[in-house]
Amino acid sequence: MTHPLPALDCQTCGACCASFRVDFSITESEAEGGSVPRGLAEPLTASTCRLRGTDHSPPRCAALTGRIGEQVACAIYRWRPSPCHEFEAGSDACLRARRRHGIDAPDRP
Ligand code: SF4
Ligand code: SF4
């Protein structure tokens, strides 16, 4: 019988915010009437934006504060774009990001 993974604590992680490019519709940017602050939404194409810093090498969203794997916060949590809302703790991508940053997932009980 398998058990679900224990809940992952995102506030002591932050790995996903420093692993992937984060693109979203330009309509989510403040400039187009959305919520993502101007300084963080970099125009990418006529219809999309990218979170500043997520295409750097190594990537790190400019809205992420704190130390990855210790204590982090999203400076625009209420205004973050939909990919951030939709990213699931415990998903394959989450576990991949954690491994990339040397943060182990808790063992199954
Ligand atoms: S990598 Fe997973 S556990 Fe870490 S902050 Fe992102 S969603 Fe949360
Ligand atoms: S906006 Fe916030 S939740 Fe989204 S990648 Fe940046 S720091 Fe992470």
Side-chain angles (χ1 to χ4, degrees), residues 8 10 13-16 87 89 94 98:
L8 296 172
C10 292
C13 178
C16 55
F87 197 85
C94 158
R98 288 176 65 104

Side-chain angles (χ1 to χ4, degrees), residues 31-56:
E32 296 289 328
S35 65
V36 183
R38 270 171 221 280
L40 289 161
E42 292 193 327
L44 190 63
T45 69
S47 58
T48 58
C49 285
R50 178 168 286 168
L51 276 176
R52 187 156 66 82
T54 63
D55 59 0
H56 290 182

Side-chain angles (χ1 to χ4, degrees), residues 14 16-18 20 22 24 36 40 51-52 54 60-65 73-81 83-85 87:
C16 55
C17 307
F20 307 114
V22 182
F24 52 95
V36 183
L40 289 161
L51 276 176
R52 187 156 66 82
T54 63
R60 177 173 171 132
C61 178
L64 185 71
T65 62
C74 171
I76 60 163
Y77 191 75
R78 285 177 54 199
W79 302 283
R80 69 202 194 286
C84 306
H85 283 272
F87 197 85

